[in-house]
Amino acid sequence: MTRNVYVNGEFLPETEAKVSIFDRAFLMADGVYEVTSVLDGKLIDFDGHAVRLERSLNELDMRSPVTKEQLLEIHRELVEMNGIEEGLVYLQITRGAPGDRDFVFPDPETTEPTIVLFTQNKPGLADSPAAKKGMKIISIEDQRWGRRDIKTVQLLYPSMGKMMAKKAGADDAWMVMDGYVTEGTSNNAYYIKGNTIVTRALSNDILHGITRAAVLRFAAEAQMQVEERNFTIEEAQKADEAFITSASAFVMPVVEIDGVPLGDGRPGPKATRLREIYLEESRKVAV
């Protein structure tokens, strides 16, 4: 079935959706994005994604063509139009299409931003088989630009990282800078030792994950200790458990890092429980 999408103020079939070849995202990766999960036909953590979107836009001196309230209505309309019970809503805002290629930003008074949204139907998103099996991770050098805290569409190196992992027979990669783990290719990274969760502190080096914030809050409420600091691959390999978080994976256990199994090589009880708590609590406040 053909999806309905949203492009610059219009809902239309995906087969009719068009964006200019002069769009800045196409020519310069000059755009930001967000991905919001849908469970039971409702949006998970929408407010957090909206706030981060505004921050990303502000950091790039880019304006939004819609208000937060309008954005929520567009999300809801697309979910309903496409009959999404479990899945994702992808949003992208770019600096627009000035009509020609130039490194200099176009005048925002004469060039409107481009906004695109579409849905992805993902039945079984919450009850993922991968969560029961766990992920195998490899480590790679972090070669991204310095502002990882801005959620831009510059995703070439993370995409290359996922392909490196696939070639190595793994599921994903954790990136390492100056000897310390930054994050996964599309997720935040953690390990558990005893009753303590260790994850890198927020800075320009990592994306400020919306799921990350919620999971760390739930972990603290469950009387787990949280240490936000740098850690090495070797530290993580000696951990009891490890996991990643993202809007689409929620909490996903990691069972192997660079060929070294964690624990008994199966998803650990704490990561598994954190996933359950996150899904339970997020569903309660979904919009």
Side-chain angles (χ1 to χ4, degrees), residues 31 59 69 74 107 111 119 124 129 150-151 160 163 167 169 180 191 222 225 231 237 251 270 276 278:
E59 289 295 308
E69 292 72 26
I74 295 167
D107 183 350
T111 300
T119 59
I150 306 173
K151 197 171 177 69
M160 291 172 67
M163 295 308 297
K167 186 176 180 179
Y180 296 103
Y191 77 78
Q225 302 300 311
F231 67 92
Q237 288 174 324
V251 178
K270 289 185 171 65
E276 293 171 352
Y278 176 78

Side-chain angles (χ1 to χ4, degrees), residues 5 41-42 70 98 100 108 130 149 155 163 167 174 205 208 216 232 236 266 268 285:
V5 301
K42 294 183 178 181
Q70 291 171 327
D100 210 340
D149 56 308
L155 297 173
M163 295 308 297
K167 186 176 180 179
W174 282 2
D205 295 332
H208 300 188
L216 292 185
T232 65
R266 294 180 294 180
V285 293

Side-chain angles (χ1 to χ4, degrees), residues 24-26 28-33 90-94 150-156:
R24 294 274 302 181
F26 177 62
M28 305 284 183
D30 191 1
V32 300
Y33 79 101
Y90 178 92
L91 155 71
Q92 181 169 303
I93 296 177
T94 85
I150 306 173
K151 197 171 177 69
T152 72
V153 297
Q154 299 181 49
L155 297 173
L156 180 57

Side-chain angles (χ1 to χ4, degrees), residues 118-188:
F118 60 82
T119 59
Q120 292 180 299
N121 192 34
K122 301 277 187 179
L125 187 65
D127 190 26
S128 170
K132 297 176 176 64
K133 179 182 177 183
M135 299 178 69
K136 295 181 179 181
I137 297 294
I138 63 167
S139 61
I140 61 173
E141 184 180 354
D142 197 335
Q143 297 183 346
R144 299 170 297 165
W145 82 310
R147 292 300 307 274
R148 294 84 175 258
D149 56 308
I150 306 173
K151 197 171 177 69
T152 72
V153 297
Q154 299 181 49
L155 297 173
L156 180 57
Y157 188 70
S159 181
M160 291 172 67
K162 286 190 184 291
M163 295 308 297
M164 292 179 211
K166 184 177 180 181
K167 186 176 180 179
D171 301 299
D172 206 345
W174 282 2
M175 293 177 279
V176 177
M177 181 179 70
D178 299 329
Y180 296 103
V181 174
T182 50
E183 57 191 338
T185 59
S186 59
N187 43 68
N188 293 120

Side-chain angles (χ1 to χ4, degrees), residues 184-245:
T185 59
S186 59
N187 43 68
N188 293 120
Y190 316 73
Y191 77 78
I192 302 174
K193 190 71 173 177
N195 198 45
T196 301
I197 296 174
V198 179
T199 190
R200 194 177 180 105
L202 295 180
S203 70
N204 290 353
D205 295 332
I206 68 170
L207 183 68
H208 300 188
I210 303 307
T211 308
R212 175 190 186 277
V215 168
L216 292 185
R217 185 174 71 252
F218 295 145
E221 291 171 359
Q223 306 304 310
M224 293 191 71
Q225 302 300 311
V226 176
E227 292 184 8
E228 296 183 71
R229 62 169 176 81
N230 289 357
F231 67 92
T232 65
I233 286 292
E234 291 71 26
E235 283 181 75
Q237 288 174 324
K238 296 174 183 176
D240 301 324
E241 303 180 41
F243 63 95
I244 58 100
T245 63

Side-chain angles (χ1 to χ4, degrees), residues 70-82:
Q70 291 171 327
L71 202 56
L72 177 57
E73 287 308 309
I74 295 167
H75 275 71
R76 283 174 164 166
E77 185 70 18
L78 280 177
V79 168
E80 183 176 350
M81 291 173 75
N82 293 314

Side-chain angles (χ1 to χ4, degrees), residues 38-39 84-88 120-126 248:
V38 178
L39 294 178
I84 305 297
E85 282 298 311
E86 288 194 333
L88 308 169
Q120 292 180 299
N121 192 34
K122 301 277 187 179
L125 187 65
S248 57

